[in-house]
Amino acid sequence: MTAADIGLTAPTGDLPAKPRWILAGLLTGPALYILIMAIVPAFLMVQLSLAHREVGGLWSPGLELTQYRQLATPLFARIMGFSLLLALTGAAICVSLAFPAAYFITRMRRRAQVTWLVFLLGSLSLSEVLIVFAFQVLLSTSGTLAGALSAVGLLAPGASLYPNFPAVLTCLVYLLLPYVILFFYPALSQLDPEVEQAAATMGASRISTFVSVVLPMMRGQILTGVLLVVIFTFGAYLTPLVLGRPPQWTIAIHINNAAMGAGNLPLAAAYAVAVVTFMAALLLLTRLLSRRRGAEA
Amino acid sequence: MFGLELRDLTKAYGDHLAADHVSLSIPHGEFVCFLGPSGCGKTTVLRMIAGLETPTSGAILLNGKDISGQPANSRQFGMVFQSLALFPHLNVGENIAFALRLRGVDPRRRKERVAELLELVRLPGLQARAISQLSGGQRQRVAIARALAQEPPVFLLDEPFSALDAKLREEMQNELRALQQRLKITTILVTHDQREAMTLADTIVVMGEGQIQQHGPPVSIYKRPANRFVADFIGASNLLPVQILDGQTVTYGATALRVGATCGVGGAPATLAIRPEDVVITRAGGGGCNEVAGIISQVRDMGAYVEFRVACEGLDILGVAAPRDWIGAGLGEHAHVRLPVDSCQVLAK
Amino acid sequence: MSLSPGVILRRGFLGLLALFLAAPLIVVLSVSFNATRRMSFPPTEFSLRWYGAFFGDHAWMASLERSLTIAGLAALVSVLVALPITYAIWRYQAKAAAVLAGIGGALFLIPGVVAALMLSAFWGVTGHVGRLENVVLSHAIVLLGIPLSLLMVGFRTIDQAQVEAAYTMGARDSDAFRMVVRPAMTPYILCAFVFVFVLSINEYLIAYMVAGFTVQTLPIKIFANMRQGYEPTMCVAAVIFMVMGFSAFALMSKVADLPRLMGRTRPLED
């Protein structure tokens, strides 16, 4: 369920007469809505990032780079660096769990597959608030996990398993796993079993088939899956806020703090523009990488 | 004229002409098969007739009236699609009654008509069955019944039987032919299967590269192909490169061959076409005319007949012999093939 | 049936994965039935008292109602916007519609916090702040990618020949839509609606940044509670989310072909 799925079908027939009027009727409303709710806010954000900050959370239109200069500070570099580290670690864990999981699920019988899909969709849709809360309970001093660990002496009695980096990472992986599994699902379910059978007739074991046939075929998908995790992690707000300490705060928290806390909307906007630019660059890089590899093969 | 007429029907996709000045008259009640390899434009012509595709130029006339400007939903030619296009959310009866419902036919009359049509396609009593519960052959019949429900002036079928296995296909072909003759409805079927076309059609229209290559009764198309394309596409043919000597003679390598008639001037290159079943093989050669000596390069005993190839003048000539006529020769032996005068056809190169 | 090491490994892996995914849910569920006020897991004594407290509390009920309203309206808006776009792509191959769909899909891919900032700035500039409809329209646009892709999957399942067959039987465009397209699309429309509904009702950050001070949705209220200190009624709210989400998708799997909806096109035997 990404933009990539929205493709064109190719009907064989001619277009019916006068589709212009029909199209205008169909698309005017949606176009206006998208223009007002997506294009205008996007431009507004760019404009905001160049605006002049006034006292008391206000701003006036301008064309200055004051906020962008703040991006050149070591603080911003450190935040971005940490966000990226968190994102890439999360991506590595998520993809290496999600890929085999999706592979196994696509090869199950219908009933089992549907059950897994319902389970994944259900947990995917759960509010981040709720998951964070559940992890808080699970990891808290009075929780079983902490109790069990301190019982075997791995944890000082009364100590808590959060806030820290592993807690943030675990919760992020939890939030993202269903997404990434479902992201791999279409491509892996399309994989022709005969390709693997062909490899088997040539003497490949199941594991070597998986490594030498399935994985390379899915290279582009895997890269995009990593990107998906990175995008989500950069936008994650509640998880690092609740389960982490300030050093583990992602860019999302800083954007939110600038906007809602400090009342410095232009700075928040500049952060946001920088994040989106960074994402676009990553997207481009992923495309380039998967295309180059594809051409070589 | 009473019937369907196509006048210079042309469909261009960019530079590519899918249909190139197709002109044809189809008398009322005739069964016509458009036959050709894939991509020859036959489906495009059918879709233009149905009104699903707008011609780039040319006209379609029904009973003398130009209907080119009418959309598919006012032509209402019944059509059976290659994928059948049955509506999965409707049952058999509802599928068949679809056109009647659109016309506001009252429910009682609708029910009678559906029963009638199911009787016609030999599926009585299957009204309430879901489409997903039907076999391949039953689906075909429902699609045919659905297309006939509106009593269309022209009945169109686009490769309807291509998904069926050989036995069922033949059964459906026979039924369709019987049905068409009973209803006397002008029918156009598109196929790439020449056997199907030979079985069904009053007239076969051979299409290639967007153009009508030849049209006429099945036997004449088989016996007298108009050009190399038709000779090659319909049945198996030996196509030998020859040179025209005079009005009745051509030369194949060093051998002069007498033929019924030639076309073109002396010295011009041409193609001699002869069907394998017309090729006569002998061991010694009778010393008569139109004999070529060669070496047997392949023998396949198919039980019902023997297929052989004789390498003559650098080309294999393919022949078929009845088992009792077979000379019993083996691979590499010398033999003679005779190309009877009446069976040789000279086509432009 | 003897189990090979491969099968054991696979089952073990999937079992652990399921356990990991289920663990937080089990925690919340059992804490909500806990009799004591202390947040403790495992629970000590079974009780329904927090359920009573939740459903008896006006503030909680108001939040629930608000969330349901927002989710219902947001799902409605996004499906109503996505339907003409996907129809235009499928039926007319309209380039303009493809561009709109592209924007919708791209929005789904930008980080949540950026979308939230964009939209809160937008509502701030319009001067129309702190209103319920802000959340509705914001959720509908951010989640637009979901109905776009689900409805596109739906349209792709309709053989164009079916529509053409309807034409050859005398159907006009509107008849074809009513008699062929709509029946085939109903399950997909329903699924798109449910999907957006469930994601909207769970969404925190956008709702908070767009109108959080005045429009307290259920996630906002839960989070506010969490920050102020633990109160067991919030577990009940959490359980409501879980029940709603899982039953919605379970229902969806009954109405529609879920594997196909999630992008499988290769046939799957029962």
Side-chain angles (χ1 to χ4, degrees):
Chain A
M1 287 175 322
T2 61
D5 288 345
I6 302 161
L8 293 172
T9 50
T12 41
D14 275 5
L15 298 187
K18 288 185 191 167
R20 204 171 283 267
W21 290 107
I22 304 171
L23 278 181
L26 281 173
L27 297 179
T28 308
L32 272 177
Y33 176 67
I34 289 174
L35 178 76
I36 295 173
M37 293 301 299
I39 312 288
V40 170
F43 273 104
L44 190 67
M45 193 175 71
V46 176
Q47 195 204 0
L48 199 55
S49 70
L50 299 168
H52 182 71
R53 186 189 172 199
E54 309 272 356
V55 281
L58 297 174
W59 53 281
S60 57
L63 210 68
E64 52 184 68
L65 293 171
T66 324
Q67 309 305 335
Y68 284 99
R69 278 195 204 102
Q70 296 216 34
L71 302 188
T73 57
L75 175 71
F76 181 72
R78 208 187 51 70
I79 299 167
M80 287 297 270
F82 173 76
S83 297
L84 197 62
L85 172 77
L86 182 67
L88 291 179
T89 322
I93 299 173
C94 272
V95 169
S96 47
L97 289 177
F99 193 85
Y103 177 81
F104 292 141
I105 291 170
T106 55
R107 267 138 192 83
M108 290 176 180
R109 264 177 303 196
R110 175 177 280 274
R111 267 183 75 95
Q113 239 179 77
V114 169
T115 310
W116 266 97
L117 287 177
V118 169
F119 182 53
L120 289 170
L121 284 167
S123 70
L124 160 148
S125 68
L126 286 179
S127 183
E128 196 182 346
V129 172
L130 208 141
I131 304 298
V132 167
F133 166 62
F135 268 93
Q136 212 181 11
V137 177
L138 201 64
L139 301 176
S140 68
T141 334
S142 48
T144 2
L145 212 55
L149 287 176
S150 57
V152 285
L154 281 171
L155 196 75
S160 180
L161 287 165
Y162 83 98
N164 55 23
F165 182 76
V168 175
L169 190 63
T170 312
C171 187
L172 269 180
V173 167
Y174 181 90
L175 286 165
L176 279 163
L177 254 182
Y179 273 101
V180 183
I181 295 176
L182 288 175
F183 171 78
F184 286 139
Y185 179 80
L188 280 171
S189 70
Q190 243 69 284
L191 202 71
D192 191 343
E194 285 184 4
V195 172
E196 289 166 71
Q197 285 158 15
T201 61
M202 289 179 267
S205 72
R206 294 199 62 157
I207 291 170
S208 68
T209 303
F210 186 79
V211 172
S212 63
V213 179
V214 180
L215 275 178
M217 282 174 80
M218 295 290 144
R219 200 179 270 156
Q221 295 288 328
I222 291 173
L223 273 175
T224 316
V226 169
L227 186 72
L228 202 72
V229 178
V230 171
I231 289 173
F232 188 96
T233 309
F234 271 72
Y237 170 73
L238 286 173
T239 307
L241 186 70
V242 176
L243 299 176
R245 294 175 192 284
Q248 280 113 39
W249 282 3
T250 51
I251 186 72
I253 298 176
H254 292 275
I255 291 178
N256 191 279
N257 283 352
M260 311 289 279
N264 189 352
L265 269 176
L267 178 63
Y271 277 156
V273 170
V275 169
V276 171
T277 314
F278 185 64
M279 293 297 141
L282 276 183
L283 186 73
L284 215 67
L285 190 73
T286 327
R287 283 275 160 86
L288 235 59
L289 231 56
S290 45
R291 193 168 305 159
R292 265 269 285 293
R293 296 268 175 86
E296 276 168 22
Chain B
M1 182 205 122
F2 206 50
L4 192 72
E5 197 183 343
L6 313 180
R7 275 193 200 154
D8 284 328
L9 212 52
T10 301
K11 177 74 187 180
Y13 292 110
D15 288 340
H16 172 67
L17 286 178
D20 186 1
H21 295 90
V22 172
S23 293
L24 187 71
S25 283
I26 303 170
H28 176 78
E30 202 170 78
F31 198 133
V32 176
C33 281
F34 277 77
L35 177 63
S38 58
C40 72
K42 54 192 194 299
T43 296
T44 307
V45 171
L46 190 81
R47 290 172 59 83
M48 286 196 280
I49 296 172
L52 295 170
E53 211 90 45
T54 320
T56 310
S57 65
I60 301 166
L61 288 83
L62 180 66
N63 302 333
K65 190 172 150 252
D66 188 349
I67 56 162
S68 314
Q70 283 183 13
N73 50 17
S74 55
R75 285 183 208 185
Q76 302 193 10
F77 292 178
M79 179 151 166
V80 175
F81 288 78
Q82 188 168 11
S83 65
L84 301 184
L86 294 170
F87 304 128
H89 60 284
L90 302 178
N91 66 25
V92 169
E94 291 164 338
N95 260 285
I96 296 173
F98 191 87
L100 307 173
R101 212 169 96 207
L102 277 167
R103 288 182 190 181
V105 175
D106 74 87
R108 240 196 50 231
R109 176 76 197 104
R110 233 151 59 190
K111 226 171 128 185
E112 285 168 21
R113 183 86 180 114
V114 168
E116 242 171 75
L117 284 157
L118 280 174
E119 202 74 52
L120 190 72
V121 295
R122 306 202 310 174
L123 292 176
L126 251 57
Q127 280 88 336
R129 196 69 74 80
I131 298 300
S132 56
Q133 291 174 312
L134 298 180
S135 71
Q138 288 174 323
R139 281 174 206 217
Q140 298 281 348
R141 288 165 213 244
V142 172
I144 290 171
R146 186 179 71 168
L148 291 174
Q150 53 190 333
E151 296 178 50
V154 180
F155 183 32
L156 308 170
L157 301 102
D158 184 9
E159 308 241 9
F161 307 135
S162 56
L164 300 181
D165 64 61
K167 196 157 175 275
L168 192 56
R169 194 184 314 156
E170 199 157 325
E171 199 181 308
M172 286 305 300
Q173 285 163 356
N174 292 336
E175 267 186 52
L176 178 66
R177 181 66 183 153
L179 190 69
Q180 191 269 342
Q181 282 181 335
R182 189 134 58 98
L183 299 175
K184 292 268 168 263
I185 180 173
T186 310
T187 302
I188 303 172
L189 182 139
V190 158
T191 182
H192 64 268
D193 176 359
Q194 49 161 314
R195 203 183 144 83
E196 183 165 292
M198 300 285 282
T199 317
L200 290 170
D202 296 316
T203 299
I204 289 182
V205 178
V206 182
M207 284 200 65
E209 283 154 9
Q211 293 171 324
I212 294 183
Q213 301 287 341
Q214 188 177 6
H215 64 98
V219 177
S220 81
I221 297 232
Y222 186 80
K223 292 277 181 209
R224 294 267 161 249
N227 57 32
R228 212 195 137 100
F229 179 90
V230 178
D232 196 19
F233 184 70
I234 309 282
S237 275
N238 290 294
L239 298 170
L240 309 175
V242 294
Q243 274 202 324
I244 292 171
L245 205 60
D246 60 43
Q248 256 109 44
T249 325
V250 296
T251 53
Y252 174 57
T255 320
L257 298 170
R258 278 174 48 78
V259 293
T262 61
C263 54
V265 290
T271 300
L272 184 140
I274 181 165
R275 296 288 179 194
E277 61 268 28
D278 293 331
V279 173
V280 181
I281 186 164
T282 52
R283 256 186 197 285
C289 66
N290 282 11
E291 282 197 352
V292 192
I295 293 169
I296 296 176
S297 61
Q298 189 187 59
V299 177
R300 276 201 281 185
D301 194 337
M302 311 296 281
Y305 56 90
V306 180
E307 212 179 86
F308 57 87
R309 282 173 196 275
V310 181
C312 316
E313 310 269 356
L315 260 179
D316 276 3
I317 294 178
L318 174 69
V320 180
R324 77 173 90 85
D325 297 336
W326 177 237
I327 56 171
L331 219 57
E333 292 182 34
H334 287 272
H336 287 75
V337 289
R338 188 155 57 81
L339 312 174
V341 180
D342 294 344
S343 311
C344 291
Q345 249 215 308
V346 177
L347 307 168
K349 187 163 172 70
Chain C
M1 188 177 82
S2 68
L3 295 178
S4 70
V7 175
I8 294 170
L9 215 63
R10 188 182 71 212
R11 295 213 177 143
F13 172 71
L14 286 171
L16 282 176
L17 188 74
L19 186 69
F20 175 58
L21 288 174
L25 315 181
I26 296 168
V27 169
V28 174
L29 202 64
S30 45
V31 172
S32 77
F33 290 112
N34 207 355
T36 63
R37 179 166 279 279
R38 265 192 71 234
M39 171 170 83
S40 66
F41 183 83
T44 45
E45 199 183 325
F46 179 84
S47 148
L48 284 174
R49 82 182 250 226
W50 305 116
Y51 284 80
F54 178 86
F55 288 104
D57 185 308
H58 285 297
W60 278 113
M61 291 314 281
S63 278
L64 177 63
E65 197 188 314
R66 218 171 281 131
S67 277
L68 289 172
T69 312
I70 290 170
L73 291 174
L76 193 68
V77 171
S78 72
V79 169
L80 284 180
V81 170
L83 198 56
I85 295 176
T86 45
Y87 180 71
I89 292 177
W90 173 73
R91 182 77 194 90
Y92 304 105
Q93 290 170 279
K95 289 221 171 62
V99 170
L100 291 178
I103 298 172
L107 278 175
F108 194 62
L109 286 180
I110 66 171
V113 70
V114 175
L117 179 70
M118 258 166 58
L119 290 162
S120 81
F122 170 78
W123 291 112
V125 167
T126 58
H128 188 269
V129 289
R131 307 284 281 272
L132 186 128
E133 57 267 31
N134 297 7
V135 186
V136 171
L137 292 174
S138 304
H139 276 177
I141 191 88
V142 171
L143 299 173
L144 188 61
I146 290 170
L148 282 174
S149 60
L150 291 187
L151 294 180
M152 211 59 239
V153 171
F155 277 120
R156 283 209 202 108
T157 61
I158 306 173
D159 184 1
Q160 286 273 353
Q162 280 179 24
V163 180
E164 289 179 344
Y167 290 146
T168 63
M169 288 182 273
R172 288 164 299 160
D173 247 359
S174 56
D175 297 320
F177 187 84
R178 186 168 50 85
M179 296 165 80
V180 180
V181 178
R182 202 182 59 193
M185 286 303 291
T186 305
Y188 294 93
I189 292 173
L190 208 71
C191 289
F193 183 90
V194 169
F195 214 134
V196 176
F197 183 92
V198 170
L199 286 187
S200 162
I201 210 164
N202 279 286
E203 203 284 331
Y204 167 78
L205 194 57
I206 293 169
Y208 173 64
M209 282 179 75
V210 162
F213 298 109
T214 45
V215 183
Q216 206 173 41
T217 62
L218 210 47
I220 296 177
K221 189 159 165 61
I222 294 180
F223 189 65
N225 255 289
M226 235 167 99
R227 300 258 92 180
Q228 284 156 16
Y230 174 76
E231 195 195 324
T233 37
M234 62 186 278
C235 288
V236 177
V239 170
I240 287 177
F241 275 134
M242 280 161 44
V243 170
M244 217 148 43
F246 282 102
S247 48
F249 289 111
L251 190 77
M252 205 191 261
S253 74
K254 297 277 176 261
V255 179
D257 183 353
L258 206 52
R260 172 155 216 165
L261 210 59
M262 297 324 296
R264 186 188 184 101
T265 52
R266 189 171 268 284
L268 176 64
E269 286 97 48
D270 289 323

